[in-house]
Amino acid sequence: MSVSAGSVLGEPCVLLKLGEVVLKGRNRELFETRLRSNIRGALKDYRVEVRQRHGVIAIFFPSDATAQGADDEVAEAVARRVSDVPGIVLVHLARRVAKDPEVITKAAIELIKDSPEVARKARFAVRSRRRDKRFPLRSNELDRLVGGTINDTYGLPVDLSDPELTVHIEVDRDEAFLFTGGLLGQGGLPVGSSGRALALLSGGIDSPVAAYRMMRRGLRVDFLHFSGIPFTTSESIYKAYALVRNLDRFQGKSRLWVVPFGKAQQSIKVSGQDRLAVIAQRRLMLKTAEEVAHRIHAEALVTGDSLGQVSSQTLTNITAQDNAVDLPVLRPLIGLDKTEIMAEARRIGTLAISELPDEDCCTLLAPRSAETRAKIEDLKQIERRLDAEDLAVQLADSIRPYKLDDFQQ
Ligand code: ATP
Ligand code: MG
């Protein structure tokens, strides 16, 4: 792109449209402050200025970043990076120009010059919004001015009801923004605005999706993985680590703890009835997780259970698991089908990791037939023999941290 084209086009910038954050009434400012701070965290490797006006956050690049090719790439990378930050619905790669009708018109012409829609004479529309009502033209007047010039210049037909190309113009207090398409954001609420939770992360497909769903509802999520070591290899730990690494782009500063669970599983195996072993183990996992949650000030547990998916997830067995702990157990996937969960895992990039082979700690205990209607009294009896409350504290004492602070690539 030539220097003059760059100056006609103005500076690249990124505009973010917020979702439910704008509905938050009196708490809105808190939510927005949190969101801006999350955005700055996600962009810590870039030199940017994050500014907010009304329901829109704008990301600018400092003045030595001009409108040249290399900076377009940076703006694109920034747009992609922020599209992972929960609380944002739409991300637009935009151009900032002076708020002057003639400047805006020239920029619009330049903006779409090389687009395939112009080449194939696609139907187009211009949509303007004024956040500054003192701007000399009304929105529909600006639409007509810019639309007319585009029509004269490129011969594209106007189609207001079903355009293939839409040129958006937003006239703000100090400047105007122009853009065409946009990236979908994650939606939801800013991470941290709902508190903190501890997710039980296996190496499977479901639990990473469950953790993602709760991040998107504003929870900061820490991760706990139960490994069968010393009776299994460390593969499941590497998988858990890889999953957390991947999920970290949604929240940053993720933390993973690993519980060496093999010996406890052995005790369950020798102490109880085979058919109850899986539920007894799940209760011990939850009790251990609750103990860890208290220590890190997490207010809920998260699991990837989906009703009826496997025998440990019948309604009776889920009730028996809830009974093991006082903290709420959040199960965001409870009503989803496996195919829906897999589609989401694919979209957030965890599916390929989850599908890697590993030696899940649960295979140590897999009985030939598992109880689908576990009785809480029977489970409590096993736990008395195991001294499960003490065991959970000991297991919580033995957790190993994996810090993932410097993750964001
Ligand atoms: P996933 O795909 O998440 O492993 P699943 O369909 O295989 O789920 P289960 O194996 O019954 O179902 O596990 C149910 C939930 O229990 C998991 O989603 C996870 O939250 C938790 N869980 C199971 N195994 C482990 C583990 N080894 N470490 C941590 N959490 C676990
Ligand atoms: Mg599993």
Side-chain angles (χ1 to χ4, degrees):
M1 185 184 296
S2 73
V3 175
S4 64
S7 60
V8 171
L9 256 180
E11 299 162 33
C13 63
V14 177
L15 290 188
L16 310 176
K17 302 291 166 66
L18 316 189
E20 284 178 54
V21 173
V22 299
L23 303 175
K24 288 289 161 197
R26 278 192 305 132
N27 288 331
R28 173 171 166 172
E29 211 162 301
L30 276 176
F31 278 85
E32 290 178 345
T33 307
R34 168 92 57 179
L35 179 58
R36 286 196 302 276
S37 142
N38 291 354
I39 290 167
R40 288 196 185 95
L43 298 179
K44 67 178 173 355
D45 295 337
Y46 297 94
R47 285 210 316 123
V48 292
E49 189 192 325
V50 178
R51 243 204 271 158
Q52 174 154 10
R53 217 163 287 141
H54 309 290
V56 179
I57 292 180
I59 300 172
F60 299 123
F61 300 90
S63 54
D64 54 341
T66 52
Q68 310 297 295
D71 300 306
D72 288 340
E73 278 165 34
V74 171
E76 261 182 67
V78 163
R80 257 181 280 120
R81 183 68 194 86
V82 287
S83 71
D84 287 334
V85 177
I88 298 162
V89 171
L90 277 171
V91 178
H92 301 295
L93 200 52
R95 291 286 170 168
R96 166 159 78 156
V97 298
K99 44 187 280 196
D100 169 283
E102 197 184 327
V103 173
I104 292 171
T105 309
K106 283 191 175 145
I109 295 292
E110 188 65 30
L111 180 71
I112 61 172
K113 188 176 70 180
D114 297 324
S115 73
E117 287 85 359
V118 169
R120 63 183 168 82
K121 304 240 180 291
R123 306 180 311 275
F124 87 105
V126 178
R127 303 232 189 277
S128 309
R129 285 177 57 180
R130 293 188 304 170
R131 280 191 282 275
D132 174 7
K133 301 298 179 201
R134 291 164 310 170
F135 188 69
L137 299 183
R138 281 206 297 268
S139 300
N140 58 354
E141 293 169 333
L142 187 58
D143 287 349
R144 252 180 277 128
L145 171 68
V146 177
T149 314
I150 289 176
N151 181 263
D152 292 346
T153 311
Y154 299 121
L156 305 188
V158 176
D159 182 345
L160 298 182
S161 56
D162 184 26
E164 296 162 279
L165 169 70
T166 304
V167 177
H168 296 269
I169 303 169
E170 299 190 355
V171 180
D172 213 301
R173 195 183 68 199
D174 302 327
E175 64 251 314
F177 299 106
L178 285 92
F179 55 91
T180 51
L183 295 172
L184 285 182
Q186 304 300 318
L189 300 171
V191 167
S193 62
S194 302
R196 182 187 292 275
L198 181 63
L200 284 79
L201 185 75
S202 68
I205 292 170
D206 306 334
S207 43
V209 176
Y212 163 76
R213 288 238 163 168
M214 295 326 298
M215 288 180 202
R216 216 177 56 175
R217 293 314 298 167
L219 284 173
R220 167 158 284 287
V221 175
D222 288 322
F223 298 90
L224 191 65
H225 173 68
F226 292 82
S227 150
I229 45 173
F231 303 116
T232 60
T233 60
S234 303
E235 271 165 15
S236 77
I237 303 178
Y238 301 141
K239 271 177 83 174
Y241 188 90
L243 287 167
V244 174
R245 217 184 134 98
N246 185 283
L247 291 169
D248 186 66
R249 70 187 199 281
F250 300 113
Q251 64 172 7
K253 300 196 177 109
S254 302
R255 298 187 295 181
L256 165 68
W257 286 279
V258 174
V259 185
F261 201 50
K263 287 187 184 147
Q265 287 179 302
Q266 288 273 307
S267 342
I268 291 176
K269 197 165 185 172
V270 297
S271 83
Q273 307 142 14
D274 220 22
R275 286 167 61 83
L276 285 178
V278 171
I279 301 301
Q281 136 165 314
R282 209 31 62 66
R283 279 173 59 105
L284 184 58
M285 282 184 181
L286 288 170
K287 283 178 194 287
T288 307
E290 183 173 51
E291 180 63 31
V292 174
H294 288 319
R295 297 179 189 189
I296 63 168
H297 308 292
E299 296 156 306
L301 305 177
V302 179
T303 73
D305 294 306
S306 158
L307 188 63
Q309 196 193 80
V310 291
S311 63
S312 58
Q313 295 169 1
T314 62
L315 196 51
T316 314
N317 286 351
I318 284 179
T319 308
Q321 292 175 53
D322 274 347
N323 169 270
V325 289
D326 292 328
L327 280 183
V329 181
L330 306 179
R331 296 182 173 90
L333 309 185
I334 198 72
L336 295 193
D337 288 358
K338 193 76 186 181
T339 48
E340 293 168 324
I341 299 170
M342 286 179 74
E344 184 142 304
R346 191 173 293 117
R347 181 178 71 78
I348 65 175
T350 55
L351 185 64
I353 305 170
S354 295
E355 284 180 336
L356 294 171
D358 72 343
E359 217 180 341
D360 189 287
C361 70
C362 301
T363 55
L364 289 175
L365 279 185
R368 252 160 291 127
S369 74
E371 181 59 67
T372 53
R373 298 180 63 83
K375 294 206 178 61
I376 291 172
E377 228 4 87
D378 297 343
L379 291 160
K380 286 195 167 160
Q381 206 180 341
I382 297 175
E383 286 166 1
R384 276 193 291 276
R385 260 180 269 151
L386 270 181
D387 221 341
E389 302 302 323
D390 273 5
L391 188 52
V393 173
Q394 282 171 34
L395 286 166
D397 286 341
S398 72
I399 57 175
R400 299 180 195 163
Y402 287 75
K403 272 242 168 178
L404 299 131
D405 261 356
D406 305 310
F407 257 3
Q408 282 158 16
Q409 296 102 351

